[in-house]
Amino acid sequence: MKRAVDLALLGIGSVSPNPMVGSVIVFDNKIIGEGYHQKYGEAHAEVNAIQSVLENHKNGSELLRKSTLYVTLEPCSHHGKTPPCSDLIIRHKIPKVVIGSVDPFESVNGKGIEKLKNAGIEVISGVLEKECQELNKRFFTRVKHQRPYVILKWAQTKNHFFAPVNNQQLWITGKEAKLLVHQWRTEEDCVLVGKNTALADNPQLNVRLVKGRNPKRAVIDRNLDLPQNLHLFDNSTETFVFNKFKTAIEHNTKYIAIEDFDYFLPQYILLQLHLQDIQSVIIEGGAKTLAMFIDNNLWDEARVFTSSNEWENGIPAPKIDGKTISTQNLGNDTLHILKNINSL
């Protein structure tokens, strides 16, 4: 199952809004086939694992009838982009299936396990369950809460300043942190900023320092004040503009009107992103935008860089209460990753 988890992670950034899934097939205590879900709309992990056995072993069909299939998530039992994996397992007469986590999606949620058992297959579930659930924290959040998995990201000085008071652009962290942020962007569906950050930094919010696909972009611009010559409007990547007045699609820019910015704004934004099949979003600033999601308890994970530098003054960094799950040194910076144990 550990191997299956490692395989599943190879699909990060490529399978959303589907879950990441890995599968391993074992005969006589040896792995004879493996696979993972590589791209949204294409074959699932179990299909690729079974196919690898058939392609690499002349007696593959016979081996499958004596093997155990390990999979990180319950095999699907419904027709979606692809046929049900549970039917494929039954057709190849695999006698035993070991599952990491039950699939909370309504069309599956125990039905895959039930179908396998009704076919006489031995099923064991809950193996490395916590690891398998952590693997698909984005998918589980989307299914259970009908919103994206929310990651907050910011950098702060040693004395907890977030940005200069005069909107001047000053880098707080070093190149190691910047490189890691670009890697993170390849792994998530969308990056969101507020109007002030868009004006002060003119960010591209894309991936330039590592290989990978660019995330979609989002900006909060209540009165549509942002100038069109900003990088956000270069049409290079699909971009959502949350505003009060306009709903329209112009090239690669989607304007989404939210009537009342004074109440439930973060909830409305997450709902709209959910409707756009956005499974995860990194909120990169500014301080007001980050605080809005923190104050409404609408965050799942916070990634906070703290530099060794100190400033005499500046905009205070957001205050957050979460459980620190890891600490890492990156050059002259320290990265703290926190989890919200009470996220909504």
Side-chain angles (χ1 to χ4, degrees):
M1 191 62 76
K2 286 182 179 179
R3 174 60 180 163
V5 170
D6 290 341
L7 287 167
L9 283 167
L10 296 175
I12 193 165
S14 300
V15 302
S16 177
N18 279 356
M20 293 181 286
V21 184
S23 181
V24 170
I25 297 175
V26 174
F27 171 75
D28 196 21
N29 292 321
K30 293 181 180 179
I31 293 177
I32 61 169
E34 57 185 32
Y36 66 97
H37 184 29
Q38 298 179 20
K39 188 176 180 180
Y40 176 69
E42 295 185 0
H44 288 186
E46 302 95 317
V47 176
N48 289 330
I50 290 171
Q51 189 62 32
S52 73
V53 173
L54 296 175
E55 290 177 353
N56 295 311
H57 301 274
K58 291 183 178 180
N59 60 337
S61 294
E62 180 183 344
L63 290 174
L64 287 171
R65 291 195 290 271
K66 302 175 182 177
S67 296
T68 299
L69 182 144
Y70 292 80
V71 63
T72 55
L73 189 69
E74 177 182 5
C76 59
S77 55
H78 66 294
H79 283 270
K81 294 278 185 181
T82 59
C85 292
S86 54
D87 288 355
L88 184 67
I89 294 169
I90 293 168
R91 187 161 71 249
H92 284 284
K93 299 181 180 180
I94 299 173
K96 184 176 180 180
V97 175
V98 180
I99 297 168
S101 174
V102 172
D103 188 336
F105 186 57
E106 185 179 1
S107 297
V108 187
N109 199 4
K111 298 182 180 70
I113 292 175
E114 183 180 8
K115 181 179 279 191
L116 294 175
K117 287 183 175 179
N118 287 342
I121 295 172
E122 180 186 357
V123 178
I124 298 173
S125 58
V127 175
L128 295 187
E129 186 173 34
K130 287 185 178 180
E131 290 87 340
C132 292
Q133 289 175 345
E134 175 66 18
L135 169 71
N136 279 310
K137 56 192 177 185
R138 301 163 183 83
F139 174 73
F140 281 30
T141 298
R142 176 175 179 263
V143 170
K144 292 180 178 179
H145 303 299
Q146 288 77 56
R147 65 163 176 82
Y149 186 84
V150 177
I151 300 168
L152 309 179
K153 193 265 331 179
W154 73 84
Q156 60 189 20
T157 64
K158 187 176 180 180
N159 52 345
H160 297 96
F161 286 120
F162 176 85
V165 292
N166 58 2
N167 285 333
Q168 180 184 1
Q169 187 181 34
L170 287 177
W171 284 104
I172 293 176
T173 53
K175 61 181 181 180
E176 296 89 352
K178 189 174 182 179
L179 189 69
L180 182 57
V181 168
H182 278 239
Q183 180 61 46
W184 288 343
R185 288 177 182 172
T186 70
E187 299 171 357
E188 311 304 336
D189 288 349
C190 185
V191 180
L192 179 144
V193 296
K195 183 185 78 172
N196 291 338
T197 297
L199 281 172
D201 298 344
N202 191 16
Q204 298 181 59
L205 302 183
N206 61 9
V207 176
R208 303 182 300 281
L209 304 181
V210 299
K211 290 184 178 180
R213 64 104 172 96
N214 288 322
K216 296 181 180 181
R217 306 178 295 198
V219 62
I220 303 171
D221 184 15
R222 176 176 181 153
N223 297 316
L224 296 175
D225 295 325
L226 291 174
Q228 290 296 302
N229 62 354
L230 294 178
H231 291 309
L232 286 172
F233 302 111
D234 62 12
N235 289 311
S236 62
T237 305
E238 187 173 6
T239 301
F240 308 107
V241 182
F242 296 107
N243 69 94
K244 190 174 182 178
F245 305 105
K246 180 179 179 180
T247 296
I249 299 176
E250 297 179 3
H251 303 291
N252 233 359
T253 303
K254 289 186 177 180
Y255 294 89
I256 299 176
I258 295 176
E259 292 183 4
D260 196 341
F261 264 65
D262 298 320
Y263 301 98
F264 307 112
L265 178 58
Q267 289 89 341
Y268 283 130
I269 288 174
L270 293 182
L271 172 61
Q272 290 297 330
L273 290 176
H274 173 72
L275 294 174
Q276 298 290 333
D277 271 343
I278 298 297
Q279 190 163 251
S280 61
V281 58
I282 305 176
I283 299 174
E284 294 199 8
K288 182 179 177 182
T289 301
L290 288 161
M292 177 175 66
F293 283 87
I294 294 170
D295 292 344
N296 284 274
N297 198 33
L298 285 170
W299 65 280
D300 299 288
E301 188 176 320
R303 302 173 181 179
V304 184
F305 294 100
T306 303
S307 78
S308 57
N309 301 322
E310 292 190 3
W311 291 354
E312 289 186 4
N313 54 51
I315 297 172
K319 294 183 179 180
I320 195 165
D321 183 20
K323 180 182 179 182
T324 301
I325 59 170
S326 71
T327 301
Q328 178 184 357
N329 292 322
L330 292 164
N332 294 322
D333 308 314
T334 302
L335 169 64
H336 296 278
I337 297 183
L338 301 91
K339 279 289 186 73
N340 184 358
I341 59 174
N342 298 307
S343 60
L344 299 176

